[in-house]
Amino acid sequence: MSDAEQPTDDHVPGAEDDEFEPVQVFPEAESMDLRPGADNCYKCSTCDTNCPVAEVDDEFPGPKFQGPEQWRLKRQGDHDIDDSVMKCSNCMRCDSACPSEVPLSQMHNTARGEYVEENMDKFSREYIRNRILANYRRLAPLGAAFPRTANFVMGLSVTKWLGEKTLGITSERDLPEFATETFRAWWTKRGGNATSKKRAREARAKRGDAKVENPDKRIAYFHGCYSNYNTPEVAKALVRVYEHFGYEIMVPEQSCSGTPMFANGMLDDARRAAETNVRELGAAIEDGADIVASCSSCSMSLRQEYPELFDFENTKNVAENTWDAIEYLRVHEDLEGELEGTSVKGEDFAYHAPCHSRNQGLDGQTIEVVDAIDGIDAHDVGDSCSGISGTYGWKAENYETSMKIGEEMFEHMEDADAETGLTECPTCSMQMGHGTGYEIKHTLEVLEAALVGADRDADRRKRQEAG
Amino acid sequence: MADDTEVLVLGGGSTGCGIARDLAMRGLEVTLVERENLTDGTTGRMHGLLHSGGRYAVSDQASATECIEENEILREIAGHCVELTGGLFVQRPEDSDKYFREKLEGCRECDIPARVLSGREARAVEPYLANDVKRAIEVPDGAVDPFRLCVANALDAEQHGARVETHAEVIDLLRDGDDIYGVEVRHESGPGKRTHEAAGTTEEITAEYVVNATGAWAGQIGEMANLDIEVRPSKGVMTIMNVRQVDTVINRCKPKGDADIIVPHETTAILGTTDEEVADPDDYPEERWEVDQMIDTLSELVPILEEARTIRSFWGVRPLYEPPGTGTQDPTDITRDFFLLDHDDRDGVSGMSSIVGGKFTTYRAMAEEISDHVCEKLGVSASCATADEPLPGSENIETLEAGMDDFGLRSPVARRSKQRLGSRASDVLGTDDANPVICQCEGVTRAEVQDAISQSGSDLNAVRIRTRASMGNCQGGFCCANMANELHPEYDEPTVRAALDELFQERWKGERHALWGEQLSQAMLNYALHATTMNRDRDPANAAESESLDYAAFDGGRPAPERRADGRGDP
Ligand SMILES: Cc1cc2nc3c(=O)[nH]c(=O)nc-3n(C[C@H](O)[C@H](O)[C@H](O)COP(=O)(O)OP(=O)(O)OC[C@H]3O[C@@H](n4cnc5c(N)ncnc54)[C@H](O)[C@@H]3O)c2cc1C
Ligand code: SF4
Ligand code: SF4
């Protein structure tokens, strides 16, 4: 961890009152002192040159000011954070750009939390809107319960107009459609963990794995909100691909990863969500599972932001045992080897690496993996940011900036020899679709087509031969 | 022949400036001469602690009482130079209980508000204190910016009619028999505001009375008139951290020792200090081990210091004085009290008094006493008003705090600028012109830099001490050039270049004592940046033999874009 690590005090008053309460070192994350983190900054401005918002918005002072400079100018008891922090999209590119390990996004997140806590009027339209966007998951269950009505109502131009006028949610975008059946509903119907256990065992037997009973092949899936409510096909693809490799899947109770809450400075909401996640995922790790996420922002959040912002028991443990879904297979299985010889019929993809994959060092993986599959190719559309950054691009005041940032990506997508988009991030995928009109897929869906599709074909062949 | 001035004050430190203001406010005609910038002596090289008196509560209760009285006065009259940080005397498990009790009782005897905190409470106030600190005494210590306070005194003296000459070194005392009647000074670039490259001149300034307030250099002045003043200069090192690890003054609760105080100072924290007698106040060794020892010892109180970034170190010399025959061996045992030496009484030479010793915190009380003495000598009856009249910048401080205007600046920049300028903020910052940030580390804008230039001419170190520009973590690497740029077009290219060189030299002087870890990276980056963008590793314009550079050989570059009203796009 960075120098900004806070001293711990075992004698926090009140902590001993309730032994089930995780020991909170800082009563409020907002009171975290990150000034020491400024020690690492030598002002080279590399972060500024990598910030997609600063590139298109002259009013945005950039990560160097936002992070180390602003923190260094602070004193204990100063609570006025510059409002420009709300223009940062939390893409976290500055984090990986910095050659000197300045905890930039931690600084932005904490400052944003403080800004919202201290400076934002709790009854303002902006606050309410941000809170709604940040807590999308709370509304999603309603939408999912009545998906058709919700989709119909959300799609009505009058609803969108109202959204813009009353809440400042841009009417330029189509609100994401709710699936008719959530992933979790499907999962339960399918028989939950028990079914998965059985299928994994069958798969292992079929693959000729040394151990048919293998408790090491167990993962806990962090699906996040979007693949639960909006794109269950991505979640189902994960399940099928992992079962193909003989993994038993658990789907623990979970809350939103917190990404949209950090980005909106709603640190209290994020803390509540994180507490549930750390508890449930920590328990899954106890049960011998590794944590796998299909959304790049979710994995980023569990791995980096949690330990930077919270200090629940097990936070570190969860961070260390969380993986991106494709990364995990490349490390634990011979994914490319498995894909050799598979083929998928169809069109090529225009692939965009999400910022949050880039930050985890995973920006090359999809291209390499798809390369192993015959019949299709993924064309990298470059390292620009998509510009939506979660809830950022949903706000009316950011819409233009967001589209300006996305321009480069849209152009490259259109130049690429493909009509379908590919990415691992749900909000990038919305932006890609919004800017080009393409259909957008997740890498896991391609893997499913190659591996599970191949299984299915093989089964079919076998049946035909037999029949 | 009429004298040039009634009173001539030698030395532009806190003592000299304080006296000049006091006498000018009493209606006397005053001239002050300083050989370098204001604060260039000990005043600009001190720890920045506004003593509550707690430090002297056991060993020297008279000083302690004076400190708390002056501490309370300075909060009122110099609010914009003082930060009410509070202070802690922290006891570690190995430190004596007995001394802790004596300290507490001492504070109470001297009317210094004091309260005992448990180790845990102390850590709630300052989370970076070591886990095992035992307890602490809370006292009203504060932090003071010696630069701004000293400059504010000089400014106010000028507003009351005084003449203040910097870069005017006293090279001789004018003595006629047993009477001193003035001095001869060498103006480095002629009288008035400094302009580099201007021709030097000398001037004889006669006065009815001379006050020698040259601190550690008082002996050198005395020699000019064959007077013996036994100043025993004692050096101390201070190390500046990049950020504030603490927001409260942290003292070690121990009888005496080196490296026992951390003072939060503006954006930084300053560690200090040591006490070692030196022969020459202008030439003494500055050693790395002194810095290391400082960091090691204070890490016992605040462990995070061990790994934290240091941006520079500097040394100051105390003007300690002992009456002849006292013979104290250890400089830490020499009294911190001040002495007024009337050379008439002492040496039978009239027309001059010297003032030595003392503390920054009590500069005003010292100035009052000396001014009383001067008035008596001159037969003037006028009373002192410095305890009640706020300094320029500290009038109506409360209304400023309440004021919401941030002059279109980003909030931390606005906050720090307003704190530095005090009640002058709206005069200085309320500009319609573009006002970009010139120094990003400290959040100093063009308007503030221009205000300083208007006070001090082409001297960028004088701009620095007024604004803090170039005092942040890049140590001028990124902003010195921008500051120099602000001198143009009022000053021509060679002047700007000389001013820039001088400022950067000064920055390097302290930064070279911090060349490891992050500050080493910073220095390397600064070097590369200056070498590649300004040719500063081998600038043809500096080559001695080169006939002047043929600027006509360069093309004119792109036409300059029009300046935008918000200042963006400016350098
Ligand atoms: C290491 C250290 C830490 C300290 N910390 C604190 C603290 O935390 N709190 C506190 O209250 N006090 C502190 N002090 C004490 C305090 O700094 C001094 O007592 C005070 O600054 C002295 O001011 P002065 O004006 O008497 O001397 P100076 O500031 O030295 O002023 C004398 C001036 O005379 C000028 N001069 C010299 N020769 C000539 C000449 N020939 N012609 C013209 N001008 C000349 C010099 O350039 C100088 O500017 C500290 C001192 C030291 C050394
Ligand atoms: S997180 Fe992204 S938008 Fe925010 S400052 Fe960093 S690079 Fe810029
Ligand atoms: S990239 Fe890192 S070191 Fe460079 S200016 Fe930004 S925060 Fe500072």
Side-chain angles (χ1 to χ4, degrees):
Chain A
M1 234 183 132
S2 62
D3 296 357
E5 198 164 24
Q6 283 262 345
T8 44
D9 189 340
D10 307 341
H11 309 291
V12 174
E16 54 277 344
D17 301 343
D18 184 349
E19 57 174 345
F20 296 108
E21 272 285 305
V23 177
Q24 269 292 85
V25 179
F26 332 108
E28 297 297 335
E30 294 83 89
S31 65
M32 231 201 257
D33 180 7
L34 294 178
R35 289 176 297 182
D39 273 2
N40 282 341
C41 175
Y42 62 163
K43 318 211 69 121
C44 66
S45 307
T46 311
C47 52
D48 283 353
T49 61
N50 276 271
C51 170
V53 176
E55 191 178 342
V56 300
D57 181 356
D58 281 349
E59 296 300 314
F60 183 62
K64 179 174 67 158
F65 170 80
Q66 199 87 260
E69 283 179 356
Q70 169 151 269
W71 274 98
R72 192 171 169 277
L73 288 169
K74 257 168 88 82
R75 293 183 189 165
Q76 218 178 54
D78 280 3
H79 288 300
D80 44 348
I81 298 282
D82 196 63
D83 54 9
S84 57
V85 75
M86 298 310 279
K87 290 189 164 195
C88 157
S89 76
N90 201 34
C91 70
M92 298 164 98
R93 279 183 171 238
C94 45
D95 257 0
S96 24
C98 174
S100 191
E101 295 180 352
V102 176
L104 282 150
S105 62
Q106 186 184 17
M107 288 174 156
H108 305 335
N109 277 331
T110 313
R112 204 159 24 231
E114 210 165 296
Y115 176 81
V116 169
E117 192 55 37
E118 301 285 335
N119 300 50
M120 213 186 223
D121 178 0
K122 297 280 152 54
F123 295 100
S124 74
R125 169 183 106 146
E126 220 177 318
Y127 179 84
I128 294 168
R129 187 265 328 267
N130 289 356
R131 196 127 192 230
I132 291 177
L133 286 174
N135 287 286
Y136 159 76
R137 182 181 173 275
R138 301 254 175 117
L139 304 183
L142 271 178
F146 308 99
R148 292 197 180 84
T149 328
N151 287 338
F152 173 71
V153 175
M154 296 263 204
L156 284 177
S157 59
V158 64
T159 312
K160 291 209 265 180
W161 177 83
L162 266 178
E164 173 140 359
K165 283 297 163 236
T166 55
L167 292 172
I169 297 174
T170 179
S171 61
E172 298 288 335
R173 293 185 191 276
D174 293 321
L175 287 154
E177 282 201 14
F178 292 107
T180 43
E181 180 186 50
T182 65
F183 165 69
R184 289 187 81 94
W186 174 83
W187 175 256
T188 314
K189 227 159 63 188
R190 185 178 185 250
N193 291 15
T195 305
S196 183
K197 200 171 196 147
K198 192 168 120 260
R199 294 204 180 200
R201 206 185 295 120
E202 284 167 15
R204 284 197 292 267
K206 191 158 128 207
R207 295 170 64 83
D209 275 6
K211 289 194 277 185
V212 172
E213 286 309 322
N214 187 350
D216 290 343
K217 287 198 133 187
R218 183 176 292 160
I219 62 145
Y221 177 32
F222 190 85
H223 48 67
C225 312
Y226 202 73
S227 56
N228 184 35
Y229 296 114
N230 303 82
T231 55
E233 58 280 9
V234 172
K236 292 178 200 168
L238 180 135
V239 167
R240 293 186 185 121
V241 168
Y242 270 77
E243 282 175 354
H244 167 88
F245 281 102
Y247 283 89
E248 166 193 344
I249 296 150
M250 315 182 351
V251 183
E253 274 304 313
Q254 52 193 270
S255 223
C256 168
S257 70
T259 304
M261 297 156 183
F262 304 138
N264 287 290
M266 307 289 172
L267 286 191
D268 282 343
D269 293 342
R271 173 190 314 276
R272 269 192 295 278
E275 203 177 337
T276 310
N277 292 335
V278 168
R279 187 184 58 236
E280 296 296 329
L281 299 179
I285 295 171
E286 291 277 293
D287 290 343
D290 287 322
I291 314 301
V292 165
S294 51
C295 159
S296 42
S297 297
C298 291
S299 50
M300 185 78 196
S301 177
L302 296 174
R303 286 172 131 174
Q304 184 181 327
E305 284 162 318
Y306 279 20
E308 279 180 356
L309 297 172
F310 308 123
D311 202 14
F312 309 118
E313 198 188 340
N314 257 336
T315 308
K316 217 170 142 226
N317 193 18
V318 167
E320 281 164 1
N321 288 291
T322 297
W323 298 76
D324 167 81
I326 291 129
E327 175 195 25
Y328 188 84
L329 290 178
R330 293 184 85 196
V331 171
H332 293 87
E333 302 295 328
D334 178 11
L335 180 58
E336 270 103 316
E338 190 88 7
L339 288 168
E340 277 318 322
T342 61
S343 70
V344 171
K345 279 197 286 296
E347 287 187 60
D348 283 0
F349 294 102
Y351 172 70
H352 163 75
C355 292
H356 289 174
S357 290
R358 193 173 296 282
N359 294 325
Q360 297 179 66
L362 302 174
D363 43 323
Q365 65 179 11
T366 288
I367 297 291
E368 285 168 34
V369 164
V370 174
D371 212 32
I373 305 172
D374 290 340
I376 46 163
D377 258 325
H379 307 282
D380 194 338
V381 297
D383 57 6
S384 59
C385 170
S386 79
I388 190 165
S389 294
T391 57
Y392 181 81
W394 284 97
K395 299 172 190 168
E397 72 270 22
N398 295 337
Y399 178 74
E400 254 179 65
T401 308
S402 156
M403 292 305 280
K404 243 197 256 169
I405 298 173
E407 226 162 72
E408 191 178 330
M409 180 189 74
F410 301 145
E411 262 171 41
H412 289 180
M413 282 179 74
E414 266 148 26
D415 289 348
D417 194 10
E419 299 296 313
T420 309
L422 185 65
T423 191
E424 293 104 317
C425 164
T427 54
C428 287
S429 123
M430 287 183 222
Q431 175 86 332
M432 293 163 80
H434 181 65
T436 58
Y438 292 1
E439 185 190 354
I440 317 293
K441 294 275 185 206
H442 190 287
T443 310
L444 281 168
E445 293 179 89
V446 180
L447 294 188
E448 183 198 13
L451 297 170
V452 187
D455 288 351
R456 231 183 265 132
D457 291 346
D459 288 348
R460 203 175 305 131
R461 255 197 315 279
K462 235 183 263 159
R463 272 200 304 278
Q464 275 164 4
E465 278 160 22
Chain B
M1 190 187 81
D3 286 312
D4 296 323
T5 181
E6 279 178 283
V7 186
L8 178 63
V9 180
L10 316 184
S14 53
T15 313
C17 292
I19 297 168
R21 176 185 190 232
D22 194 331
L23 290 171
M25 281 171 68
R26 297 189 199 206
L28 277 79
E29 198 190 345
V30 182
T31 297
L32 180 144
V33 291
E34 159 60 47
R35 68 172 178 178
E36 301 282 342
N37 261 312
L38 297 176
T39 75
D40 194 72
T42 308
T43 301
R45 295 157 209 264
M46 51 89 86
H47 204 163
L49 170 59
L50 181 70
H51 285 284
S52 62
R55 188 162 179 79
Y56 306 109
V58 179
S59 59
D60 180 356
Q61 296 205 335
S63 284
T65 311
E66 196 180 26
C67 280
I68 187 68
E69 285 167 9
E70 288 300 309
N71 174 308
E72 279 160 10
I73 291 172
L74 289 186
R75 290 163 183 224
E76 294 300 322
I77 66 156
H80 77 296
C81 307
V82 167
E83 190 190 339
L84 306 178
T85 58
L88 298 176
F89 280 87
V90 178
Q91 183 191 18
R92 287 193 45 79
E94 64 270 27
D95 300 342
S96 136
D97 281 335
K98 178 164 165 284
Y99 186 75
F100 189 87
R101 269 194 313 278
E102 283 171 7
K103 179 70 86 188
L104 188 62
E105 281 158 19
C107 285
R108 300 210 162 125
E109 281 155 20
C110 300
D111 284 333
I112 301 165
R115 185 167 76 103
V116 176
L117 303 181
S118 69
R120 192 208 288 185
E121 285 166 335
R123 282 168 47 74
V125 176
E126 284 303 340
Y128 289 119
L129 278 177
N131 280 317
D132 58 346
V133 300
K134 195 166 166 191
R135 52 190 174 159
I137 304 173
E138 193 179 52
V139 293
D141 280 342
V144 58
D145 185 330
F147 305 113
R148 276 183 282 133
L149 183 57
C150 200
V151 168
N153 271 285
L155 211 61
D156 204 33
E158 285 185 313
Q159 280 165 13
H160 285 90
R163 174 184 176 201
V164 176
E165 285 287 345
T166 58
H167 303 281
E169 181 178 8
V170 175
I171 50 175
D172 202 7
L173 281 180
L174 304 177
R175 178 172 170 173
D176 182 11
D178 282 339
D179 182 45
I180 290 171
Y181 65 94
V183 299
E184 182 178 5
V185 297
R186 186 195 301 124
H187 293 290
E188 195 194 303
S189 61
K193 272 185 223 164
R194 177 159 186 220
T195 306
H196 288 81
E197 312 277 300
T201 54
T202 57
E203 180 188 10
E204 284 193 1
I205 305 174
T206 59
E208 276 184 58
Y209 204 77
V210 177
V211 178
N212 173 19
T214 51
W217 293 266
Q220 294 179 3
I221 297 287
E223 275 170 29
M224 295 175 186
N226 294 321
L227 300 170
D228 213 8
I229 306 170
E230 307 78 5
V231 189
R232 293 175 62 178
S234 155
K235 71 167 175 173
V237 63
M238 280 142 294
T239 292
I240 309 189
M241 310 311 289
N242 178 45
V243 297
R244 288 165 67 129
Q245 285 81 13
V246 293
D247 293 273
T248 312
V249 175
I250 304 295
N251 303 269
R252 180 85 177 253
C253 192
K254 259 167 81 167
K256 66 176 180 190
D258 284 343
D260 56 356
I261 317 181
I262 308 168
V263 182
H265 181 76
E266 302 284 327
T267 47
T268 69
I270 307 183
L271 318 185
T273 177
T274 50
D275 208 335
E276 197 187 331
E277 202 159 332
V278 297
D280 181 349
D282 285 316
D283 185 20
Y284 47 84
E286 299 178 342
E287 308 211 46
R288 168 73 185 265
W289 66 262
E290 299 176 87
V291 175
D292 290 346
Q293 183 201 345
M294 192 73 39
I295 297 171
D296 287 349
T297 311
L298 282 165
S299 298
E300 293 171 14
L301 285 181
V302 179
I304 192 180
L305 292 173
E306 191 79 59
E307 296 299 320
R309 172 173 175 179
T310 301
I311 52 180
R312 63 194 279 120
S313 286
F314 62 99
W315 278 256
V317 280
R318 293 176 190 80
L320 299 184
Y321 175 82
E322 283 202 313
T326 317
T328 308
Q329 293 303 316
D330 184 344
T332 50
D333 291 333
I334 300 180
T335 174
R336 267 26 179 187
D337 213 352
F338 78 96
F339 293 87
L340 172 60
L341 314 177
D342 182 336
H343 296 290
D344 198 3
D345 298 349
R346 191 174 173 266
D347 310 292
V349 177
S350 64
M352 181 167 95
S353 285
S354 292
I355 164 103
V356 282
K359 282 177 288 298
F360 183 91
T361 306
T362 55
Y363 88 94
R364 195 212 58 83
M366 286 163 62
E368 177 173 349
E369 210 175 311
I370 296 149
S371 299
D372 286 348
H373 176 75
V374 172
C375 285
E376 194 191 307
K377 286 277 168 185
L378 297 180
V380 178
S381 77
S383 59
C384 175
T386 55
D388 303 312
E389 284 295 319
L391 284 159
S394 285
E395 308 98 345
N396 308 319
I397 275 291
E398 315 71 34
T399 38
L400 181 82
E401 288 284 312
M404 294 295 281
D405 193 353
D406 56 9
F407 309 103
L409 302 173
R410 302 210 176 274
S411 54
V413 176
R415 180 181 266 269
R416 295 283 87 90
S417 304
K418 286 195 289 186
Q419 240 148 13
R420 283 189 298 263
L421 290 162
S423 46
R424 297 184 58 243
S426 56
D427 287 347
V428 176
L429 300 174
T431 164
D432 290 332
D433 295 334
N435 191 20
V437 173
I438 301 287
C439 163
Q440 295 178 336
C441 301
E442 296 294 319
V444 184
T445 62
R446 168 179 290 163
E448 201 180 337
V449 169
Q450 285 295 349
D451 170 61
I453 292 173
S454 75
Q455 291 175 23
S456 59
S458 72
D459 191 319
L460 290 176
N461 278 311
V463 173
R464 170 178 61 82
I465 63 171
R466 283 164 173 79
T467 61
R468 285 193 63 76
S470 78
M471 288 178 142
N473 48 347
C474 79
Q475 288 290 294
F478 285 68
C479 59
C480 280
N482 294 348
M483 289 168 70
N485 195 40
E486 291 298 311
L487 294 170
H488 188 77
E490 195 182 335
Y491 297 93
D492 62 5
E493 189 268 342
T495 310
V496 172
R497 181 179 291 275
L500 170 60
D501 282 349
E502 190 180 66
L503 172 62
F504 205 61
Q505 280 290 348
E506 193 285 335
R507 297 287 75 199
W508 176 243
K509 205 173 156 230
E511 193 187 5
R512 74 203 152 110
H513 295 294
L515 294 185
W516 64 88
E518 295 95 345
Q519 202 60 27
L520 180 57
S521 309
Q522 182 74 64
M524 289 304 296
L525 182 67
N526 290 356
Y527 176 81
L529 204 65
H530 286 215
T532 53
T533 62
M534 291 184 277
N535 249 343
R536 284 176 71 81
D537 51 343
R538 190 179 298 163
D539 192 338
N542 283 341
E545 72 280 14
S546 87
E547 44 334 326
S548 74
L549 206 60
D550 181 11
Y551 285 107
F554 295 87
D555 68 22
R558 278 195 292 169
E562 268 183 40
R563 279 194 174 181
R564 294 174 38 168
D566 61 0
R568 286 188 150 267
D570 279 338

